[in-house]
Amino acid sequence: LHCTRPLCLGRRRLSSDAHMRVRTPFRCSPHPCEYEIAFVSDVEGDLDYFNRWVAGSRCVAYTGSDEAALTLTHARAYFVYGGDVPDHGRGSEQLLRLLVGLKRAFPRRVALLVGNRDLNKLRLTSECAPSDLARPHWSIPAPHWDPSAPTLSQHLEQVAAARGGGATAASCDCAAERLRWMYENTLGCPATFEARRAELAALRSVGSATGDNGGGGGGGGGGGGGGGPPPPPPP
């Protein structure tokens, strides 16, 4: 087993562009069988970095110039993703689709490991469910692991103060603001909400995606009012 020298691509990463050659002797053959394993990790939504990694990989490549799908380059190529797909960059959904598509195409030769940034998003399936969104905002505590983090109520009060026009914490309470509060104060990724909003706007070919589902309930300032396309689901 040996690793070629990792390529230095992009910013600091816990990952490398390591390609491992594994020689496995088979009893039925006098010749060793060589496999190549490509590994990358902690891309965290940075699609530009991932594209540079693919460009330097001997095992993984795009199937076409549109970079819409990945493939393995030869019959003995394997790929391992070490975890942490989403968060900081503006390509989280696109990267997820690429990796899942590659896994479906080569289920026995692709391994997708999960990291903390993947696992902690499982919270969203419960905390963004209608039953949980129905809980009063004042009943939801701050994260116990960060005493300095604001409660949901404190976050909504800050949002209301910024909006003005008679907005209150209750009128600002919506799924989007709860999600923004979770990202910024409980999941350790304060830039993710805006990054996801920008990505969704680009993918859906709308000029800009609003972050509010119901946008300020009672008013949001007397000026812009209603109109425009309906907002996309929260990131």
Side-chain angles (χ1 to χ4, degrees):
L1 171 68
H2 83 273
C3 297
T4 60
R5 182 180 178 182
L7 300 177
C8 297
L9 300 174
R11 301 190 298 272
R12 179 186 63 82
R13 287 287 186 271
L14 295 178
S15 59
S16 68
D17 190 24
H19 287 76
M20 295 175 284
R21 291 183 177 180
V22 182
R23 296 183 181 273
T24 306
F26 289 93
R27 294 179 181 176
C28 61
S29 172
H31 304 290
C33 183
E34 185 177 275
Y35 299 89
E36 278 195 301
I37 304 173
F39 172 85
V40 69
S41 180
D42 295 80
V43 175
E44 297 182 9
D46 189 340
L47 200 59
D48 290 337
Y49 168 82
F50 184 73
N51 288 341
R52 294 196 299 273
W53 180 87
V54 172
S57 174
R58 297 197 302 266
C59 297
V60 180
Y62 282 107
T63 58
S65 59
D66 58 353
E67 299 182 344
L70 294 168
T71 188
L72 297 180
T73 58
H74 58 85
R76 299 195 180 279
Y78 287 74
F79 173 67
V80 178
Y81 187 85
D84 286 357
V85 175
D87 272 351
H88 295 303
R90 295 188 175 187
S92 295
E93 181 173 336
Q94 298 167 82
L95 181 59
L96 282 167
R97 291 180 182 276
L98 287 169
L99 294 177
V100 171
L102 185 62
K103 174 66 175 178
R104 288 175 173 169
F106 302 94
R108 297 176 63 87
R109 293 161 56 196
V110 172
L112 305 180
L113 308 181
V114 295
N116 64 299
R117 293 189 179 278
D118 309 306
L119 287 172
N120 64 19
K121 302 306 181 295
L122 294 177
R123 289 177 50 193
L124 304 183
T125 62
S126 59
E127 294 182 52
C128 291
S131 58
D132 211 68
L133 291 174
R135 295 171 58 193
H137 63 81
W138 45 261
S139 70
I140 299 176
H144 63 81
W145 56 89
D146 185 2
S148 65
T151 64
L152 175 59
S153 289
Q154 291 170 332
H155 169 79
L156 293 173
E157 288 167 1
Q158 294 171 358
V159 173
R163 287 183 180 176
T168 64
S171 70
C172 294
D173 186 14
C174 62
E177 284 303 335
R178 292 197 181 198
L179 184 60
R180 190 197 301 269
W181 171 75
M182 281 189 279
Y183 279 142
E184 292 180 356
N185 300 289
T186 76
L187 289 171
C189 47
T192 294
F193 186 93
E194 293 302 329
R196 290 288 289 118
R197 176 158 66 173
E199 182 183 17
L200 289 174
L203 291 175
R204 300 180 183 190
S205 300
V206 295
S208 62
T210 64
D212 307 322
N213 57 340

